[in-house]
Amino acid sequence: MVYKDLAGKVAVITGGSKGIGNAIAKRLGEEKMKVVINYNSDKAGADHAVQEIVDAGGQGVAIQADVSSEEGVQKLLDAAVENFGDLDLWINNAGMENQHPTHELSLNDWERVINVNMTGTFLGSKAALNYFLDHNKKGNIINMSSVHEQIPWPTFAHYTASKGGIKLFTQTIAMEYAEKGIRVNSIGPGAINTPINAEKFADPEQYKETADMIPMKRIGDPAEVAAAAAWLASDESSYVTGITLFVDGGMTLYPAFQGGKG
Ligand code: NAD
């Protein structure tokens, strides 16, 4: 346990059955939190995360829900209150991506990515804000953005649109609710080794291609993103709101200039 103020507090994390969400769930367990772990289809992954949290000294419950629907998000809030009696932290982590040249991108693919990544972030934030306001709580919201809220990414226009949207959404609601003591921040991971890109990074050539775009010359570990989430969740970041904390090995630092080129 690093952040003592987190012990016993209640968190919801969306998309917690694998990848970054799973690492954050585990880390919150190590901080002795009570965690609602949302999954979409991977029940086994979510159950495993619950076990890891319990083993680490926290409490957990796995709840199936689609974050792009209001009913799904309400189910997660209800689970927090019914199982753990409160809500202190909501992490909008669930996300998806797929690759299409924009002139071939179907409306269906566009809408699915926007609905999960951006609308899901809105719905989760709205549910949490209402709970915090109703209970006069200085709650905390963390949104999983990406370096692609800043770096354009050809053939991923729907993904970049969703993350760019999350950036200003985060800043806007951070300002809107700052006087209530509610903090809202984003995390912008760079290239992190998770199932979303496991196939790509298993190929040494593709791993090198990506690592070469990162000043630190390596792909990140999900635990390194979880560490940022734990800090943003804790009172140690009590004067921080509306930021994107990039966890990217320097990817957003114009790496083409590395070594004094240009
Ligand atoms: P992942 O594919 O391993 O995990 C994504 C999670 O979201 C899964 O658990 C999935 O089931 C869940 N999810 C998808 N649609 C859902 C829905 N409708 N309802 C509920 N859950 C749903 O990916 P990851 O790499 O762990 O990504 C987590 C977040 O981090 C995403 O928002 C992603 O955009 C962001 N991110 C990842 C990277 C990276 O390199 N891995 C980089 C930048 C940003």
Side-chain angles (χ1 to χ4, degrees):
M1 184 172 31
V2 175
Y3 303 110
K4 291 194 178 77
D5 63 284
L6 291 179
K9 284 193 176 163
V10 180
V12 168
I13 174 139
T14 67
S17 62
K18 52 177 176 279
I20 290 171
N22 190 261
I24 295 174
K26 194 174 156 194
R27 176 63 195 261
L28 299 183
E30 286 163 9
E31 300 293 341
K32 318 286 183 221
M33 291 187 79
K34 302 170 182 172
V35 189
V36 175
I37 298 162
N38 158 242
Y39 67 96
N40 192 27
S41 54
D42 181 11
K43 184 176 184 318
D47 286 342
H48 182 66
V50 169
Q51 194 53 52
E52 283 184 317
I53 285 177
V54 171
D55 291 347
Q59 295 179 50
V61 60
I63 303 288
Q64 194 287 327
D66 179 347
V67 296
S68 65
S69 85
E70 273 186 307
E71 302 73 46
V73 166
Q74 186 61 44
K75 204 168 143 185
L76 298 177
L77 178 59
D78 291 347
V81 175
E82 280 159 24
N83 287 278
F84 305 128
D86 206 357
L87 178 75
D88 300 282
L89 167 67
W90 188 291
I91 304 184
N92 292 301
N93 165 76
M96 58 178 291
E97 66 182 47
N98 45 53
Q99 181 169 20
H100 301 279
T102 306
H103 65 284
E104 291 170 0
L105 176 59
S106 70
L107 179 59
N108 194 44
D109 279 322
W110 169 271
E111 286 181 340
R112 191 68 195 133
V113 167
I114 295 293
N115 288 347
V116 173
N117 297 10
M118 200 157 72
T119 307
T121 297
F122 157 64
L123 292 174
S125 301
K126 184 180 171 187
L129 286 169
N130 273 298
Y131 183 89
F132 298 152
L133 294 173
D134 287 349
H135 296 82
N136 206 15
K137 283 202 78 125
K138 295 180 174 166
N140 193 319
I141 297 173
I142 299 173
N143 297 324
M144 202 51 68
S145 184
S146 164
V147 289
H148 296 297
E149 70 166 43
Q150 180 172 313
I151 304 174
W153 198 14
T155 68
F156 288 88
H158 47 350
Y159 184 78
T160 55
S162 74
K163 298 301 186 181
I166 287 172
K167 174 189 173 175
L168 267 175
F169 176 74
T170 297
Q171 292 177 344
T172 298
I173 65 169
M175 194 188 286
E176 197 169 334
Y177 298 98
E179 282 179 272
K180 300 277 182 198
I182 297 169
R183 296 192 297 121
V184 188
N185 292 289
S186 289
I187 296 176
I192 309 296
N193 202 357
T194 68
I196 220 171
N197 46 33
E199 218 176 290
K200 186 165 138 193
F201 296 149
D203 171 7
E205 243 174 66
Q206 291 195 62
Y207 182 103
K208 188 174 178 319
E209 198 179 279
T210 303
D212 280 347
M213 295 192 303
I214 303 167
M216 289 180 76
K217 302 295 173 213
R218 68 173 177 85
I219 307 300
D221 190 272
E224 295 177 296
V225 182
W231 179 71
L232 283 175
S234 80
D235 287 345
E236 287 293 300
S237 61
S238 55
Y239 203 47
V240 177
T241 197
I243 68 158
T244 297
L245 176 50
F246 288 111
V247 182
D248 67 351
M251 203 184 210
T252 41
L253 297 177
Y254 298 92
F257 286 84
Q258 200 168 19
K261 284 180 264 177

